[in-house]
Every structure is written in structure tokens, then in C-alpha cells.
Amino acid sequence: MSARIYQRPKNAMQSGKALLDQWILEFAPAEAKKADPLMGWAGSGDTQQQVVLRFPSVEEAKTYAERHGIDAEIHHTPPRRLKIQAYADNFR
């Protein structure tokens, strides 16, 4: 069973930073999704894809994965670089 641990990225459409400090553990899909013949919806029999665990720190998520025998890959969030720009720069 493999999983990935990552920090939720900031939504580009909103300026809020709520829930960005949480670390998420998601399981990798065990089987491919297939279309349902009646409705056409995509689905699979893999119930692990529905499980999303949230942790306050990366250490707690890593400890949980090790304790339960989960091969977890940690994806660190790249640092944010702000481009500070003044309104007067538009007229140079």
C-alpha cells in the first residue's frame, strides 16, 4: 500500500490561507477507474481512494504511515516567491 503526504496548496482564486498548515495523507489508486455501463460515471472498487487523513504536522503523518506499514512519499511545498510591484511600475 503506497501513499503520498503533502501540504494543501493555496487556491489561486482566493486570498485566504485557511487550512494551509495541514498535511494530507492520500492513498495511491490500486486499480484504474472504469466507466459504469448504465450511467457512464467513472468509478472503481478501490475504497482506499476515498480515505483522506489530515495531520497538523509532517512528522505526525510520517509516524502514522510508519506505524501502519504504509510506504509514504513526502512532497514538500515549494517556497512562495512574491513579486513585489508598485502601481507606478506600469508607467515606466
Side-chain angles (χ1 to χ4, degrees):
M1 191 169 16
S2 64
R4 69 181 184 133
I5 298 172
Y6 66 96
Q7 202 168 15
R8 183 188 313 252
K10 183 182 169 300
N11 187 351
M13 303 301 290
Q14 298 177 345
S15 62
K17 295 181 181 176
L19 305 177
L20 293 182
D21 56 342
Q22 291 183 349
W23 287 84
I24 299 172
L25 186 140
E26 280 185 343
F27 292 96
E31 62 182 54
K33 292 186 178 185
K34 49 191 171 276
D36 181 48
L38 179 62
M39 299 296 289
W41 295 342
S44 70
D46 183 21
T47 57
Q48 288 290 345
Q49 286 183 315
Q50 300 172 5
V51 177
V52 177
L53 302 174
R54 294 174 177 83
F55 298 93
S57 68
V58 68
E59 290 83 19
E60 290 185 28
K62 190 172 18 172
T63 304
Y64 178 86
E66 290 172 357
R67 188 173 358 142
H68 292 282
I70 301 168
D71 297 328
E73 183 178 338
I74 299 173
H75 297 277
H76 290 283
T77 307
R80 293 188 196 105
R81 287 177 275 161
L82 297 177
K83 183 179 177 184
I84 307 299
Q85 186 174 351
Y87 180 70
D89 293 341
N90 293 333
F91 304 102
R92 289 185 186 200

